[in-house]
């Protein structure tokens, strides 16, 4: 039962990982853009929520109504004003620029909010859960996180497969010069994609902040998990990102079962091992398209 | 009436100049064939017109305005559509989506999926297939259809026949009159002289980035065309028997 419980909790945790990974996967899929500041952006989103909440007294969930548009606009503007100049077949410029951006975000957050850990308080729902059996209880917060993750990824998948915006994203991902012949403004489309990436990672950051305490320097660890989820699931596949996140979450909680014996850190360690096994045996990821 | 008037056009890639002072006129409704050997600069010329390669110097008057510095993604809205060399369909889109995306920023007019399928009936059963699984001829039909979906005033066709079997080439060329009847002016590039002469109302030959010959198919001698094509000394001007 302990193991079953670990798996159930892992799926819940995986929802959060998938939410983190969504924007990373989208930016890479649409424009081969590797955003090393992605984890720091999640933390930034959580801190924006802290400010919004202290200014308005809103519930953290409701604060998303402000946090998400703010981050969406920031992503759009940053892509147009900066990231677009790094777009090239060579991912190195984007890696360097976003590595620098991550450091800037960390330092600005340290200056503005100090190094103290924070949490986002949603009240008693934090400790309430649904009891499934004697040994298994599903917390409301993890459940809501999972539902939101599945909804966000499902909406993204629908957008990509059914709408004219999604068609344009796929065309640009295939072949930007030919997409321009269709009248598609690829630079503007990249900005839209980055806006969506920022918006989703801000949601992830706020849910992280509800789930656990966070500080200005917590971004890189989140980036690592997001990367692992994307690679496990397969680059450029929306459902792959969800599967990757869930699998990574299960690896963390199942691995966590060994913590009693081997000490703290066995959960993330098992996560890294799963990542390495997938990378070694199926480099394109579980649901990924074959490498081009 | 002149639809396209190119004057003194220079263009190239990096330090390499591929086009030297090109002057070309295209009248509304005509079918202009541009011929030339491999590497003459035909593809570069079409890509400059579509905005994929920048013009270094010169002007490109399209319906009276200079579009030489208009961004590529704005030209389809003005009525210029390129069917690129190598078809360049979007691999992760279905055939239907490849057609629909052609209308993304195009003009309104008579071309839509139904009218395109009337011209290329063979692709109707393939609409929901991924475009990668199509044969070369089918892909070329979709690529032309995709360009038509934008209701272009000027359609640029780059080596439609490249790598295709003769029967397939014939069926594609049979479809060309429908493009003109649909109101488009056609500028087609070919290495295959015979094919080009059969459909063109006028002819331009490029040689190493320069216009080496211009005229009507029935007004220039075959030997002059050959000379202009290969850069041989011009013949005495007597009509060669073909
Ligand atoms: N992307 C490119 N970069 C550098 N040189 C190019 C490129 N494309 C074409 N060229 C050169 O430009 C010249 C004209 O090429 P192109 O326009 O493709 O000729 P054509 O279509 O008549 O065969 C050739 O010498 C070719 O090598
Ligand atoms: Mg060519």
């Amino acid at each position: 039962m302990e193991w079953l419980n670990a798996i159930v909790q892992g799926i819940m945790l995986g929802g959060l990982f998938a939410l983190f990974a969504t924007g990373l996967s989208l930016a890479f899929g649409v424009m081969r853009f590797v955003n090393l500041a992605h984890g720091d952006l999640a933390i930034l989103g959580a801190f924006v929520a802290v400010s919004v909440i202290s200014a308005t007294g809103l519930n953290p969930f409701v604060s998303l109504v402000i946090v998400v548009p703010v981050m969406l606009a920031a992503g759009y503007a940053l892509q147009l004003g900066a990231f677009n100049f790094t777009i090239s077949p060579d991912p190195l410029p984007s890696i360097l620029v976003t590595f620098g951006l991550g450091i800037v975000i960390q330092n600005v957050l340290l200056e503005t909010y100090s190094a103290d850990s924070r949490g986002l308080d949603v009240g008693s729902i934090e400790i309430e859960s649904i009891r499934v059996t004697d040994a298994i209880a599903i917390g409301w917060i993890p459940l809501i996180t999972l539902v939101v993750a599945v909804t966000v990824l499902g909406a993204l998948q629908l957008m990509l497969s059914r709408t004219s915006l999604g068609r344009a994203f796929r065309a640009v991902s295939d072949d930007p010069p030919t997409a321009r012949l269709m009248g598609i403004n690829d630079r503007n489309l990249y900005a839209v994609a980055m806006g969506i990436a920022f918006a989703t990672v801000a949601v992830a950051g706020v849910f992280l902040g509800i789930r656990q305490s966070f500080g200005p320097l917590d971004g890189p660890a989140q980036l690592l998990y997001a990367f692992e989820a994307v690679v496990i699931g397969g680059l450029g596949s929306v459902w792959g990102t969800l599967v990757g996140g869930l699998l990574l979450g299960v690896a963390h909680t199942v691995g966590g079962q060994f913590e009693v014996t081997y000490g703290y850190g066995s959960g993330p360690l098992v996560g890294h091992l799963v990542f390495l096994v997938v990378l070694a045996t199926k480099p394109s990821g579980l649901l990924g398209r074959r490498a081009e | 009436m002149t639809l396209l008037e190119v004057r003194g056009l220079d263009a190239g890639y990096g330090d390499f100049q591929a086009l030297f002072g090109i002057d070309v006129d295209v009248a509304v409704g005509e079918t202009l064939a541009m011929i030339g050997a491999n590497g003459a600069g035909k593809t570069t010329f079409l890509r400059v017109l579509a905005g994929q390669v920048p013009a270094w110097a010169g002007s490109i008057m399209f319906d009276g305005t200079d579009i030489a510095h208009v961004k590529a993604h704005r030209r389809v809205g003005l009525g210029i559509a390129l069917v690129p060399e190598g078809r360049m369909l979007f691999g992760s889109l279905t055939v239907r989506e490849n057609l629909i995306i052609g209308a993304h920023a195009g003009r309104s007019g008579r071309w839509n999926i139904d009218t395109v399928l009337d011209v290329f009936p063979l692709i109707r059963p393939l609409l929901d297939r991924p475009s990668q699984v199509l044969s070369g001829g089918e892909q070329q039909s979709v690529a032309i259809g995709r360009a038509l979906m934008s209701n272009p005033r000027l359609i640029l066709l780059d080596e439609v026949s490249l790598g295709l079997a003769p029967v397939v080439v014939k069926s594609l060329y049979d479809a060309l009159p429908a493009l003109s009847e649909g109101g488009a002016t056609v500028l087609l590039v070919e290495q295959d002289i015979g094919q080009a002469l059969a459909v063109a109302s006028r002819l331009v030959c490029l040689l190493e980035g320069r216009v080496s010959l211009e005229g009507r198919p029935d007004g220039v001698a075959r030997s002059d065309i050959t000379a202009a094509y290969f850069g041989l000394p011009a013949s005495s001007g007597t009509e060669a028997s073909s």
Side-chain angles (χ1 to χ4, degrees):
Chain A
M1 251 346 195
E2 248 173 62
W3 294 100
L4 187 59
N5 185 48
I7 291 172
V8 171
Q9 304 307 331
I11 289 173
M12 303 289 138
L13 177 62
L16 187 61
F17 289 157
L19 214 43
F20 270 109
T22 305
L24 205 61
S25 176
L26 181 69
F28 187 83
V30 171
M31 51 189 155
R32 307 291 176 273
F33 188 87
V34 179
N35 185 356
L36 290 190
H38 195 70
D40 300 299
L41 290 163
I43 302 298
L44 175 66
F47 275 107
V48 172
V50 166
S51 292
V52 168
I53 291 161
S54 77
T56 61
L58 288 174
N59 175 295
F61 289 125
V62 183
S63 77
L64 286 171
V65 175
I66 299 172
V67 174
V68 166
V70 166
M71 291 292 284
L72 193 140
Y76 185 88
L78 207 55
Q79 183 72 40
L80 276 189
F83 293 169
N84 267 345
F85 300 101
T86 73
I87 299 275
S88 72
D90 174 11
L92 192 61
S94 69
I95 289 174
L96 292 178
V97 165
T98 56
F99 179 74
L101 176 68
I103 293 173
V104 169
I105 291 174
Q106 290 172 22
N107 283 293
V108 168
L109 290 178
L110 275 175
E111 283 296 318
T112 318
Y113 297 95
S114 84
D116 296 346
S117 279
R118 311 281 184 127
L120 299 175
D121 186 3
V122 287
S124 63
I125 194 176
E126 274 178 36
I127 50 166
E128 283 170 18
S129 58
I130 308 165
R131 188 147 285 285
V132 185
T133 70
D134 278 352
I136 301 175
I138 297 176
W140 274 107
I141 298 295
L143 183 61
I144 293 171
T145 311
L146 179 64
V147 169
V148 168
V150 173
T151 307
V152 166
L153 283 157
L156 192 63
Q157 173 65 30
L158 269 183
M159 184 273 280
L160 287 172
S161 62
R162 296 286 161 80
T163 67
S164 103
L165 179 64
R167 214 161 35 228
F169 273 136
R170 284 182 286 142
V172 162
S173 169
D174 278 351
D175 180 356
T178 304
R180 273 175 230 137
L181 292 179
M182 308 296 121
I184 293 169
N185 181 350
D186 55 330
R187 300 284 143 162
N188 191 54
L189 212 57
Y190 293 159
V192 173
M194 192 53 77
I196 295 173
F198 272 45
T200 57
V201 84
V203 174
V206 168
F207 276 93
L208 177 84
I210 292 170
R211 186 186 177 102
Q212 64 193 56
S213 63
F214 60 94
L217 304 180
D218 287 347
Q222 303 309 324
L223 172 71
L224 184 60
Y225 300 150
F227 256 120
E228 290 183 345
V230 171
V231 173
I232 290 171
L235 289 171
S237 158
V238 172
W239 293 129
T241 301
L242 183 61
V243 168
L246 297 185
L247 193 58
L248 189 65
V250 170
H252 274 225
T253 52
V254 168
Q257 296 289 303
F258 300 109
E259 277 182 4
V260 188
T261 325
Y262 298 104
Y264 179 74
S266 57
L269 180 65
V270 172
H272 299 329
L273 288 177
V274 168
F275 163 72
L276 286 175
V277 167
V278 171
L279 198 58
T281 57
K282 201 162 183 305
S284 59
L286 296 178
L287 301 190
R289 283 180 281 170
R290 264 169 286 116
E292 281 141 60
Chain B
M1 203 189 110
T2 310
L3 180 63
L4 180 75
E5 185 183 298
V6 177
R7 287 291 174 271
L9 181 71
D10 292 350
Y13 308 88
D15 291 334
F16 176 80
Q17 184 164 357
L19 297 177
F20 300 83
I22 302 286
D23 297 334
V24 167
D25 290 321
V26 185
V28 171
E30 78 173 328
T31 297
L32 177 70
M34 176 174 272
I35 61 170
N38 198 6
K42 308 178 297 294
T43 295
T44 304
F45 180 67
L46 295 192
R47 298 185 71 200
V48 173
L49 295 184
Q52 286 189 319
V53 171
W56 290 358
S59 64
I60 304 170
M61 304 299 285
F62 181 70
D63 195 21
T65 47
D66 190 355
I67 59 158
H69 301 291
V70 171
K71 292 211 167 71
H73 68 89
R74 297 211 186 280
R75 297 197 191 188
V76 67
L78 298 175
I80 299 178
L82 170 63
V83 179
E85 196 173 51
R87 352 299 185 204
M88 300 296 170
L89 296 183
F90 297 109
S92 42
L93 272 57
T94 63
V95 168
R96 184 193 308 274
E97 288 177 321
N98 266 285
L99 292 175
I100 292 173
I101 206 163
H104 182 84
R107 298 148 15 92
S108 55
R110 65 165 284 181
W111 295 109
N112 53 45
I113 290 200
D114 289 330
T115 51
V116 165
L117 290 178
D118 288 344
V119 179
F120 301 107
L122 291 179
I123 57 180
R124 188 183 292 275
L126 308 172
L127 279 179
D128 293 311
R129 302 264 183 92
S131 57
Q132 298 133 307
V133 304
L134 270 53
S135 70
E138 291 161 352
Q139 289 195 11
Q140 191 60 268
S141 305
V142 177
I144 297 172
R146 180 178 68 178
L148 287 178
M149 290 288 288
S150 70
N151 283 291
R153 301 164 73 190
L154 176 64
I155 184 165
L156 312 168
L157 300 165
D158 198 350
E159 302 223 29
V160 165
S161 60
L162 197 67
L164 300 179
V167 276
V168 179
V169 174
K170 182 175 182 311
S171 76
L172 288 167
Y173 268 82
D174 287 345
L176 288 191
L179 313 197
S180 313
E181 285 155 24
T185 301
V186 178
L187 200 175
L188 69 93
V189 153
E190 266 301 342
Q191 270 188 60
D192 180 335
I193 303 179
Q195 200 63 256
L197 294 190
V199 292
S201 50
R202 219 153 50 79
L203 174 76
V204 168
C205 185
L206 281 194
L207 175 67
E208 292 170 0
R210 293 181 169 86
V211 175
S212 56
L213 180 82
E214 205 187 330
R216 305 185 68 80
D218 51 10
V220 287
R222 195 64 187 238
S223 58
D224 288 341
I225 296 176
T226 313
Y229 190 99
F230 292 109
L232 307 172
S235 70
S236 57
T238 50
E239 192 81 18
S241 59
S242 53

